Amino acid sequence: MESSLAFHDGNIYDFLQSRYLDVRPDVNSSLHMHSSLVRRLSQEKELEGHQGCVNAIAWNSTGTLMISGSDDTRINIWSYSGRSLLHSIETGHCANIFCTKFIPETSDELVVSGAGDAEVRLFNLSRLNGRGEEDNAITPSAMYQCHTRRVKKLAVEIGNPNMVWSASEDGTLRQHDFREGTSCPPAGSSHQECRNVLLDLRSGAKRSLADPPRQTLALKSCDISTTRPHLLLVGGSDAFARLYDRRMLPPLTSSQKRMSPPPCVNYFCPMHLSDRGRSSLHLTHVAFSPDGDEVLLSYSGEHVYLMDVNCAGGSAMHYTSGDVSQLMSFSPVLGGAELHKPTSDVFPKYLSKRRNAARLDKCRKLVQLAQRSLEEGTNYYYGIELCNEVLDGYGHDIGLALKHECLCTRAGLLLKRKWKNDANMAVRDCYNARRIDSSSFRAHNYMSEALSQLGKHKEALDFARAAQCLAPSSSEVAERVESIKKDLAEAEAERNNKGNDGAPRSEPRGGRVLSLSDILYRAEANSDASQDGPRSEREDSDYDEELELDFETSISGDEDHDAEPNVLHGSLNLRIHRKSDSARENGGANGLCGSPSSSSHNERHQPEAVIDMKQRYLGHCNVGTDIKQASFLGQRGEYVASGSDDGRWFIWEKRTGRLIKMLHGDEAVVNCVQCHPSDCVVATSGIDNTIKLVEQQDQKLRTFWLPWKATNADYAAIVKLSCPLKFWSGFGCMSSLKEACVLLSVLRANQVSTKAC
């Protein structure tokens, strides 16, 4: 596979040459996580020091220290250079620690933690006397108890040593300013007046794109952009990530009164997930890219998705609830823009026509290989990766004819592979192919098959008939039309049978009727039991919504018939609905105290425009825990990584979605994946009570090279090119022949070719 598909981060030798011939500040950042280094990653060190699951890990800004939080309610501080435990802090939390951070610009002396006991605690490391496990419990410098449910994520702002933001499952995101106070009363107390609620999303969750926000959005994750710190990203118990501009938010409030959710800058959600209405679908992690231009979303029971932050209004990446149905509806002429934003120009204008022709010829060969996989019915995964390489790597310059052919081929491969959401991806490809050629038989035929797999039989029949008109002699299409008609009839009969089995339902007089699942459902139902820990009494104080009972009786039968005394013969219709919904219908005059006045809430609600996916990454499993991370790797974020429920973690190429590497990281589940700020090193943790450091195989050589201040480029050249030692001496990397001889011995000890030496 690697012989056919090249990596898009360039040849490492060219980078080395350009570093000395052409001064470019981004060369070293490009080599932080270069493909030649990523493919050499392997586990080198296992850090021991916790007695429970390690739920959070984070590096300091320079990468010299790492902090971790665990189910044992301890915070550990680790030395990167010594790969050893420096401090172990007894925090005083009475439940699992889910998040911990270094506070910026404090010389790494201030650290903060959030836990399942709904508390946020600040600690000053300068007060510690001992080392390692000898440390005793220290008094927190600040303790905030204003949340009512588990604190799942903390965020800090680069350059700001005075604030931390906490996201909780109580539906609020709070801003804690260390200058204003060091403590606050427990939630629910008579003196509870902490005015630190930045986002009140207790009425902010949406079941689908068209629905107005009603339920509590249990926040699972948040992040602040490093390049534009006013941008705040949150994700929680529904399918939509939200981007806020902190400069546009209302002043901080208390939690005594439930507020309407403030307007956000953008919603992010893949189109095929926006209209499902599944209560179990939720986000486990959201993150900004290093440059702040992209965001990464990780879904429970779903894939990892990449979104573009800088989509201007009306861009091709935006969609509304009407676009979702339009995507699957047959129309002879399509309007609007393509679903996927055109990729950047990968063929610079200064390149020669000969080089352009060579790359175009390569794309044709890749499409032919993909078509062969489709025809032979073998290796669908490889065929899809070939199409991804063409469309995501060179889609802007391959020409419409080849692009149409590649889209149809990938749609066919996706329908054959039948992995989760492959049918939805095939619908996208067929839609874009029909935009190029509205009379494409393959696009209509594959669209019909994709809609059939999704259970959209009526829409599938429309496309099958259109394909039949384009190819009247095709027996395959004729059989498909008859098959879809049969499926449609069976679905209609099943629907009628279900309707006749039970008594007809009367229409509700007012309010939104709640199903039993609505009443019993809790946002944390899918959380991992092993991650929950002891639950505080105040956890349930702010979650349940007030309900009303409404019933009707009707007397049936003849009044003259004999009846038992004191027995009412008839039927009872029982309905349970939210009291706030009734108040909403009556104009809100008698609404609940503390709930948003929403007589105008529904009137002003319009289905928002949402930013669609840019790329998806699949292969991992995210079901067992709700703290599973997805992270960018490298200073430029060229790669994407995520943990998995099978004890492995995955690395994908961000641009094409190609799976690069899988590594073992835990005996059960990998939850956390954090890249070192400057070295090609990744720290992972999960259910095990240890932290794994994953490094390139010759990291020992790189550690030895540090006294001469060598960069990633120098190290990579030594390993990959085996350059003569006098070459490095000429650039000041070595000061004596003795040092050169020591380096030569290290090279040989690491089984690096030394012929050039």
Side-chain angles (χ1 to χ4, degrees):
M1 184 184 298
E2 293 183 2
S3 61
S4 301
L5 301 178
F7 290 91
H8 291 270
D9 52 6
N11 183 282
I12 197 167
Y13 179 77
D14 292 338
F15 273 114
L16 291 174
Q17 292 295 87
S18 65
R19 188 178 64 146
Y20 299 112
L21 302 178
D22 181 19
V23 179
R24 294 191 300 167
D26 64 332
V27 171
N28 286 336
S29 61
S30 300
L31 292 171
H32 178 207
M33 278 286 173
H34 194 272
S35 59
S36 62
L37 306 180
V38 171
R39 286 177 289 169
R40 301 167 65 88
L41 289 174
S42 63
Q43 182 177 319
E44 294 292 335
K45 182 68 175 179
E46 194 167 353
L47 304 179
E48 299 180 355
H50 280 295
Q51 302 301 318
C53 307
V54 183
N55 304 320
I57 52 177
W59 298 96
N60 66 346
S61 58
T62 58
T64 57
L65 298 174
M66 183 174 62
I67 187 171
S68 60
S70 169
D71 285 358
D72 60 12
T73 70
R74 301 183 74 90
I75 290 177
N76 284 356
I77 309 296
W78 309 85
S79 167
Y80 170 60
S81 59
R83 269 62 166 180
S84 59
L85 178 64
L86 294 180
H87 303 289
S88 185
I89 306 169
E90 179 55 59
T91 62
H93 283 294
C94 59
N96 306 346
I97 295 176
F98 288 113
C99 44
T100 184
K101 291 278 189 182
F102 287 100
I103 302 299
E105 305 300 327
T106 61
S107 300
D108 301 322
E109 290 186 352
L110 293 183
V111 297
V112 64
S113 62
D117 57 7
E119 295 181 357
V120 176
R121 299 189 174 210
L122 180 72
F123 299 92
N124 192 328
L125 300 184
S126 63
R127 299 178 181 177
L128 294 173
N129 296 321
R131 293 179 62 85
E133 298 181 359
E134 298 176 358
D135 294 342
N136 298 319
I138 60 174
T139 303
S141 302
M143 184 166 60
Y144 305 99
Q145 301 173 290
C146 38
H147 281 296
T148 60
R149 284 187 170 268
R150 300 185 299 180
V151 177
K152 299 305 288 288
K153 194 65 68 174
L154 297 171
V156 294
E157 176 187 348
I158 291 181
N160 187 344
N162 302 310
M163 293 184 185
V164 66
W165 290 262
S166 58
S168 168
E169 289 179 339
D170 62 11
T172 64
L173 186 137
R174 296 175 183 261
Q175 176 177 294
H176 308 285
D177 193 328
F178 309 144
R179 299 166 296 185
E180 293 183 352
T182 58
S183 64
C184 63
S189 66
S190 58
H191 303 288
Q192 179 68 17
E193 275 297 333
C194 294
R195 302 187 67 84
N196 58 7
V197 178
L198 181 63
L199 282 177
D200 188 350
L201 299 175
R202 288 176 292 177
S203 299
K206 297 160 63 74
R207 285 297 180 96
S208 66
L209 180 57
D211 289 342
R214 289 193 183 97
Q215 299 173 330
T216 297
L217 180 67
L219 294 179
K220 304 290 185 180
S221 183
C222 65
D223 195 20
I224 292 178
S225 173
T226 56
T227 57
R228 290 173 287 180
H230 55 275
L231 293 182
L232 172 68
L233 183 68
V234 298
S237 55
D238 65 9
F240 302 92
R242 295 153 173 83
L243 180 68
Y244 293 93
D245 188 332
R246 289 194 285 131
R247 302 170 300 181
M248 307 300 292
L249 293 175
L252 299 177
T253 62
S254 70
S255 59
Q256 295 294 325
K257 183 177 181 181
R258 181 173 297 193
M259 307 297 292
S260 298
C264 63
V265 177
N266 274 321
Y267 284 93
F268 299 95
C269 182
M271 185 184 291
H272 60 278
L273 300 181
S274 65
D275 206 31
R276 291 192 177 183
R278 286 193 303 151
S279 58
S280 60
L281 181 65
H282 67 274
L283 288 156
T284 63
H285 191 74
V286 296
F288 280 102
S289 62
D291 60 7
D293 291 337
E294 296 167 321
V295 296
L296 205 59
L297 311 184
S298 179
Y299 285 89
S300 176
E302 264 288 339
H303 307 309
V304 175
Y305 294 93
L306 182 72
M307 313 282 184
D308 197 342
V309 173
N310 299 321
C311 270
S315 167
M317 303 291 285
H318 276 89
Y319 68 92
T320 62
S321 56
D323 297 326
V324 179
S325 58
Q326 182 183 358
L327 179 67
M328 299 183 182
S329 301
F330 175 74
S331 176
V333 179
L334 292 177
E338 291 185 44
L339 287 177
H340 284 282
K341 195 175 182 180
T343 56
S344 60
D345 189 353
V346 296
F347 296 155
K349 294 181 179 180
Y350 60 80
L351 292 179
S352 64
K353 292 183 179 180
R354 180 181 302 176
R355 191 169 181 181
N356 284 349
R359 295 193 178 186
L360 187 59
D361 183 62
K362 175 186 176 181
C363 289
R364 290 195 186 97
K365 291 180 179 178
L366 293 178
V367 174
Q368 291 173 1
L369 289 173
Q371 288 178 336
R372 188 182 305 169
S373 296
L374 179 61
E375 294 168 359
E376 296 177 355
T378 58
N379 209 348
Y380 298 131
Y381 182 85
Y382 180 45
I384 292 170
E385 284 205 334
L386 294 173
C387 293
N388 292 343
E389 178 74 11
V390 174
L391 293 170
D392 299 325
Y394 311 105
H396 188 69
D397 292 281
I398 60 175
L400 293 179
L402 185 58
K403 186 174 183 178
H404 171 270
E405 187 177 359
C406 192
L407 285 168
C408 292
T409 301
R410 186 169 67 175
L413 289 165
L414 289 165
L415 294 172
K416 294 293 185 182
R417 189 175 67 173
K418 296 182 180 180
W419 286 10
K420 188 168 189 175
N421 291 329
D422 277 355
N424 288 290
M425 298 300 108
V427 167
R428 291 168 169 269
D429 285 346
C430 293
Y431 180 88
N432 285 330
R434 290 181 64 233
R435 287 198 47 76
I436 298 174
D437 181 5
S438 59
S439 61
S440 169
F441 166 74
R442 294 182 69 193
H444 286 80
N445 189 36
Y446 287 140
M447 178 69 92
S448 174
E449 183 178 348
L451 293 172
S452 293
Q453 290 187 14
L454 294 173
K456 305 283 186 180
H457 301 299
K458 184 177 180 180
E459 293 84 353
L461 184 59
D462 293 337
F463 281 98
R465 285 171 173 167
Q468 191 175 32
C469 293
L470 294 171
S473 60
S474 174
S475 59
E476 177 186 352
V477 179
E479 293 175 0
R480 180 177 300 280
V481 170
E482 296 302 320
S483 176
I484 295 175
K485 287 181 179 179
K486 182 179 178 182
D487 293 338
L488 189 60
E490 291 177 354
E492 187 67 26
E494 183 178 356
R495 194 158 44 243
N496 292 335
N497 291 336
K498 286 184 177 180
N500 294 331
D501 286 343
R505 299 177 181 177
S506 61
E507 291 297 323
R509 294 180 301 179
R512 189 176 74 86
V513 177
L514 291 182
S515 66
L516 186 60
S517 62
D518 287 328
I519 301 168
L520 300 180
Y521 173 73
R522 290 293 178 268
E524 72 273 20
N526 291 304
S527 300
D528 180 34
S530 68
Q531 303 288 338
D532 286 350
R535 298 184 60 167
S536 153
E537 290 182 1
R538 65 176 180 271
E539 258 191 80
D540 297 320
S541 63
D542 196 34
Y543 227 70
D544 298 333
E545 302 188 48
E546 296 193 38
L547 304 175
E548 281 185 334
L549 244 70
D550 206 5
F551 64 90
E552 297 174 349
T553 59
S554 60
I555 305 298
S556 61
D558 191 350
E559 294 182 358
D560 296 332
H561 73 282
D562 294 334
E564 298 180 20
N566 302 325
V567 175
L568 179 65
H569 292 268
S571 63
L572 175 68
N573 293 328
L574 179 66
R575 295 195 304 274
I576 305 174
H577 59 86
R578 284 186 179 82
K579 188 175 181 180
S580 58
D581 285 350
S582 302
R584 186 178 296 119
E585 188 170 281
N586 295 328
N590 300 318
L592 292 174
C593 178
S595 59
S597 58
S598 51
S599 60
S600 59
H601 180 73
N602 279 353
E603 293 177 3
R604 68 171 179 265
H605 173 74
Q606 297 292 335
E608 297 88 352
V610 183
I611 294 181
D612 196 12
M613 57 171 280
K614 184 177 181 180
Q615 187 59 266
R616 71 164 179 160
Y617 310 97
L618 63 162
H620 73 300
C621 179
N622 182 9
V623 177
T625 60
D626 65 351
I627 58 173
K628 198 168 282 88
Q629 298 177 356
S631 307
F632 291 94
L633 301 185
Q635 295 176 9
R636 297 174 62 183
E638 304 98 326
Y639 296 92
V640 170
S642 174
S644 179
D645 289 343
D646 59 0
R648 294 182 290 183
W649 61 283
F650 294 65
I651 303 176
W652 299 272
E653 188 179 33
K654 184 186 75 173
R655 185 174 186 177
T656 64
R658 185 183 1 157
L659 180 61
I660 302 298
K661 198 173 184 66
M662 293 184 297
L663 298 104
H664 178 76
D666 197 275
E667 294 302 321
V669 177
V670 176
N671 283 323
C672 305
V673 180
Q674 291 294 318
C675 182
H676 189 275
S678 57
D679 282 350
C680 187
V681 175
V682 181
T684 66
S685 69
I687 302 300
D688 292 347
N689 56 12
T690 59
I691 300 171
K692 282 78 173 178
L693 288 183
V694 180
E695 310 170 3
Q696 46 187 332
Q697 292 177 0
D698 298 297
Q699 185 69 17
K700 292 180 181 179
L701 171 60
R702 187 185 178 352
T703 304
F704 169 81
W705 195 244
L706 288 176
W708 294 289
K709 298 181 180 180
T711 64
N712 273 320
D714 300 325
Y715 166 68
I718 284 287
V719 174
K720 300 291 287 184
L721 305 178
S722 300
C723 293
L725 294 179
K726 62 180 181 180
F727 173 83
W728 303 105
S729 180
F731 283 101
C733 295
M734 294 179 294
S735 58
S736 67
L737 180 61
K738 179 179 178 181
E739 292 171 350
C741 293
V742 174
L743 174 61
L744 180 60
S745 64
V746 173
L747 287 169
R748 288 172 175 166
N750 284 272
Q751 298 181 347
V752 178
S753 174
T754 56
K755 293 181 180 179
C757 301

Coordinates of all heavy atoms in Angstrom, one line a residue, residues 103 116 148 178 266 346 398 544 737 750:
I103 N -1.6 25.7 34.8 CA -2.0 27.1 34.6 C -0.9 27.8 33.9 O 0.3 27.9 34.4 CB -2.4 27.8 35.9 CG1 -3.5 27.1 36.6 CG2 -2.8 29.3 35.6 CD1 -4.8 26.9 35.9
G116 N -15.4 14.1 39.6 CA -16.7 13.6 39.6 C -17.5 14.1 40.8 O -18.7 13.9 40.9
T148 N -23.1 21.3 39.9 CA -24.0 20.4 40.6 C -23.8 18.9 40.0 O -24.4 18.0 40.6 CB -25.4 20.8 40.4 OG1 -25.7 20.8 39.0 CG2 -25.7 22.1 41.0
F178 N -9.2 33.6 39.6 CA -8.5 33.4 40.9 C -8.3 34.7 41.7 O -8.1 34.7 42.9 CB -7.1 32.8 40.6 CG -7.1 31.6 39.8 CD1 -6.0 31.3 38.9 CD2 -8.1 30.7 39.9 CE1 -6.0 30.2 38.1 CE2 -8.1 29.5 39.1 CZ -7.1 29.3 38.2
N266 N -21.2 29.3 15.4 CA -21.4 28.2 14.5 C -21.8 26.9 15.2 O -21.4 26.7 16.4 CB -20.2 27.9 13.7 CG -20.1 28.8 12.4 OD1 -21.0 29.1 11.8 ND2 -18.9 29.3 12.1
V346 N -2.8 21.9 -5.1 CA -1.7 21.1 -4.8 C -0.6 21.1 -5.9 O 0.5 20.6 -5.7 CB -2.0 19.6 -4.5 CG1 -2.9 19.6 -3.2 CG2 -2.7 19.0 -5.6
I398 N -7.8 17.5 -11.0 CA -7.8 16.2 -11.8 C -8.8 16.3 -13.0 O -8.9 15.4 -13.8 CB -8.2 15.0 -10.9 CG1 -9.5 15.2 -10.2 CG2 -7.1 14.8 -9.9 CD1 -10.0 14.0 -9.4
D544 N -33.6 17.0 36.9 CA -34.9 16.6 36.6 C -35.8 17.8 36.3 O -35.7 18.9 36.9 CB -35.5 15.9 37.8 CG -34.7 14.6 38.1 OD1 -34.1 14.1 37.1 OD2 -34.7 14.2 39.2
L737 N 36.5 15.4 17.6 CA 36.6 14.0 17.0 C 36.1 13.0 18.0 O 35.4 12.0 17.7 CB 38.0 13.7 16.6 CG 38.2 12.3 15.9 CD1 37.4 12.2 14.7 CD2 39.7 12.1 15.6
N750 N 22.4 1.3 17.9 CA 21.0 1.4 17.5 C 20.7 0.8 16.1 O 19.7 1.0 15.5 CB 20.5 2.9 17.5 CG 20.2 3.4 18.8 OD1 19.1 3.3 19.4 ND2 21.3 4.0 19.4

